[in-house]
C-alpha cells in the first residue's frame, strides 16, 4: 500500500530574537521552505553574545521588566565549555586565522562564530535589526498578530523612532533567551541599604570598584568570575555562597550582616543570583505560565499544548550543551 504524502505548505513564521536559538530556528525553517522573518531588538545578531558596554545606570538591580539593556555579558567573559562541544553539529566551531583560537574562547569569538553562521547560510536577509516586538497574540484564525517598533540604535532611553508595525504570521517562535531579567534575592533591608546595589546583569568591567569594599552575593560561575576580577582593583572582596542563608540583612549604615553574626561596612553589593524567565511580549490568555522558575506547560520544552504548533519556544532548558540542543529541538 502506498500512502500519498501531502507536499509541504510554506508558512509565514516570525522568530523573535536573533541569538543562537533564533538563528538555528531560522536556518531550519528556511531549509524546509518557510517564509521566515527574524525580529531582533539589537543593532546586530548574536543575542547575549553581542557584548554591550552599556548598563542601565538608573536600574542597576534590573528590577524593572523588561530590562532596558538586553545583554548580560561582561567584557572578560570566557566560555566554560570547549570549542569542540559548542558549535552546531553541521557548522563546526573551527579555529580561524587571526581570531581567538583558545579552546575556551572569549565572548567576542562566539559572536563572530554566529556571524560566520549567518553569512554561510544567507540568514541576514531574513533578519530585521533594531526592531522590538511589543506584543504577540493569537488571532481568532489561529494565526499570530505581532506588533513591533523600530528602535534608535544605541539609545539608552530606547525612544521609538518609527510607527508601530502590525503583521500577521502563521506561526511564532520565541527565542528571546533567559539571561536578561535578573532574579533578585529577598534579603532584609535591601530597600533601605545605604550603599550601591547591582545585579551581575549590569556588570561590565572592574574599574568602577577600585578601592571599594565589595560583597559579591552568589557563588555560581559569574559570581566567582566577578569576585576574582574585582579583587584586582578593590580594597576588599567578600564572596557569599548563598544569599538567603549567609546574608542575614543589609543595614542603612551600609553594613552587611552575615548569617554567623559578623558584619562588614561595604560600598557595593553585587547580586550574582541568576535570572528569571520573562516573556512580556506574549499574550497567551494564561495558556503559558511561569511558576517556581518553570515555564509551562511545554511539550519537550518547546510546544505549549493549547497553542501548538503555531507557537513554540526555543532554548528554554538551561543546563544543556546549547548549540547541540538547539539543532535537535529545531528539527
Amino acid at each position: 500500500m502506498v500512502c500519498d504524502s501531502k507536499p509541504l505548505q510554506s508558512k509565514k513564521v516570525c522568530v523573535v530574537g536573533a541569538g543562537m536559538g533564533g538563528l538555528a530556528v531560522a536556518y531550519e525553517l528556511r531549509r524546509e521552505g518557510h517564509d521566515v522573518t527574524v525580529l531582533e531588538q539589537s543593532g546586530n545578531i548574536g543575542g547575549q553574545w553581542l557584548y554591550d558596554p552599556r548598563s542601565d545606570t538608573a536600574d542597576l538591580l534590573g528590577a524593572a521588566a523588561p530590562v532596558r539593556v538586553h545583554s548580560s555579558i561582561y567584557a572578560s567573559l570566557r566560555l566554560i565549555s570547549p570549542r569542540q562541544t559548542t558549535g552546531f553539529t553541521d557548522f563546526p566551531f573551527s579555529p580561524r586565522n587571526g581570531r581567538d583560537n583558545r579552546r575556551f574562547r572569549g565572548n567576542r569569538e562566539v559572536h563572530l562564530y554566529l556571524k560566520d553562521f549567518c553569512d554561510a547560510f544567507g540568514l541576514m536577509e531574513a533578519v530585521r535589526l533594531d526592531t522590538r516586538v511589543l506584543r504577540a497574540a493569537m488571532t481568532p484564525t489561529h494565526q499570530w498578530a505581532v506588533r513591533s517598533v523600530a528602535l534608535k540604535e544605541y539609545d539608552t532611553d530606547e525612544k521609538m523612532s518609527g510607527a508601530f508595525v502590525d503583521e500577521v504570521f502563521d506561526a511564532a517562535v520565541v527565542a528571546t533567551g533567559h539571561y536578561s531579567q535578573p532574579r533578585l534575592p529577598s534579603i532584609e533591608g535591601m530597600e533601605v541599604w545605604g550603599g550601591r546595589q547591582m545585579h551581575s546583569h549590569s556588570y561590565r568591567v572592574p574599574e568602577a570598584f577600585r578601592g571599594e569594599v565589595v560583597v559579591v552575593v552568589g557563588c555560581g560561575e559569574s559570581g566567582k568570575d566577578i569576585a576574582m576580577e574585582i579583587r584586582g582593583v578593590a580594597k576588599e572582596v567578600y564572596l557569599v555562597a548563598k544569599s538567603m542563608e549567609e546574608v542575614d540583612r543589609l543595614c542603612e549604615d551600609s553594613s552587611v550582616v552575615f548569617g554567623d553574626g559578623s558584619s562588614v561596612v561595604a560600598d557595593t553589593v553585587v547580586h550574582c543570583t541568576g535570572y528569571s524567565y520573562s516573556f512580556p511580549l506574549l499574550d497567551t490568555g494564561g495558556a503559558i505560565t511561569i511558576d517556581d522558575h518553570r515555564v509551562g506547560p511545554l511539550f519537550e520544552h518547546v510546544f505549549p499544548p493549547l497553542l501548538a504548533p503555531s507557537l513554540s519556544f526555543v532554548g528554554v532548558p538551561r543546563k544543556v550543551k546549547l548549540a547541540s540542543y538547539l539543532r535537535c529541538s529545531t528539527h
Side-chain angles (χ1 to χ4, degrees):
M1 179 179 179
V2 178
C3 297
D4 294 329
S5 59
K6 295 182 179 179
L8 174 70
Q9 182 180 0
S10 178
K11 300 290 185 180
K12 185 180 179 183
V13 184
C14 175
V15 178
V16 185
M20 185 174 283
L23 295 176
V25 170
Y27 169 76
E28 293 293 347
L29 290 174
R30 281 162 58 90
R31 192 167 69 165
E32 293 295 324
H34 297 295
D35 178 11
V36 179
T37 300
V38 182
L39 301 181
E40 168 56 48
Q41 65 181 344
S42 300
N44 206 335
I45 60 93
Q48 280 296 333
W49 299 111
L50 176 62
Y51 174 70
D52 189 339
R54 302 174 305 162
S55 60
D56 184 4
T57 55
D59 184 19
L60 290 175
L61 279 174
V67 291
R68 290 177 180 268
V69 179
H70 178 75
S71 178
S72 300
I73 295 292
Y74 40 96
S76 64
L77 185 140
R78 290 176 62 183
L79 271 70
I80 60 172
S81 54
R83 175 188 299 274
Q84 293 84 345
T85 65
T86 307
F88 297 127
T89 52
D90 54 358
F91 192 76
F93 202 157
S94 303
R96 293 183 179 243
N97 291 335
R99 298 257 287 263
D100 182 356
N101 291 325
R102 295 173 295 179
R103 189 179 186 198
F104 300 93
R105 54 258 160 269
N107 60 81
R108 183 173 181 272
E109 185 63 22
V110 182
H111 180 237
L112 292 175
Y113 166 77
L114 293 176
K115 292 188 72 173
D116 292 340
F117 179 70
C118 277
D119 293 341
F121 299 106
L123 298 181
M124 284 307 300
E125 64 187 38
V127 179
R128 195 185 304 166
L129 299 173
D130 295 312
T131 304
R132 168 168 287 182
V133 176
L134 301 177
R135 184 173 183 269
M138 181 175 274
T139 70
T141 58
H142 300 284
Q143 294 173 298
W144 284 87
V146 177
R147 167 168 286 192
S148 63
V149 65
L151 299 176
K152 266 190 176 181
E153 189 174 3
Y154 303 125
D155 186 345
T156 53
D157 293 329
E158 292 185 350
K159 296 176 182 178
M160 297 174 183
S161 61
F164 295 141
V165 176
D166 291 308
E167 300 170 273
V168 176
F169 296 88
D170 297 309
V173 182
V174 180
T176 52
H178 46 66
Y179 289 108
S180 289
Q181 191 64 49
R183 188 181 193 188
L184 297 173
S186 297
I187 300 175
E188 181 184 345
M190 283 184 67
E191 300 80 5
V192 299
W193 192 63
R196 175 178 61 171
Q197 292 185 78
M198 62 186 295
H199 191 273
S200 57
H201 168 74
S202 299
Y203 176 80
R204 296 295 183 268
V205 294
E207 186 57 36
F209 304 90
R210 182 170 295 278
E212 291 190 352
V213 176
V214 182
V215 176
V216 178
V217 179
C219 200
E221 300 301 338
S222 62
K224 290 182 287 187
D225 270 359
I226 292 171
M228 289 299 294
E229 188 165 70
I230 290 176
R231 181 174 172 268
V233 299
K235 180 181 178 182
E236 298 173 9
V237 176
Y238 297 83
L239 179 59
V240 180
K242 296 181 180 179
S243 58
M244 300 297 289
E245 291 86 348
E246 299 189 21
V247 177
D248 183 69
R249 63 187 183 278
L250 304 178
C251 303
E252 291 185 66
D253 64 357
S254 296
S255 62
V256 179
V257 181
F258 301 112
D260 63 359
S262 63
S263 64
V264 62
V265 176
D267 298 290
T268 302
V269 172
V270 183
H271 298 284
C272 301
T273 47
Y275 296 87
S276 296
Y277 291 101
S278 180
F279 307 105
L281 63 96
L282 270 184
D283 182 358
T284 64
I288 301 293
T289 60
I290 301 173
D291 181 34
D292 192 25
H293 212 45
R294 293 192 299 268
V295 182
L298 293 178
F299 176 72
E300 298 287 355
H301 303 293
V302 176
F303 293 106
L306 294 178
L307 303 174
S310 65
L311 179 66
S312 58
F313 292 76
V314 169
V316 170
R318 293 178 183 267
K319 295 184 178 181
V320 294
K321 292 180 179 178
L322 185 58
S324 299
Y325 166 77
L326 290 172
R327 293 306 297 273
C328 291
S329 63
T330 55
H331 274 279

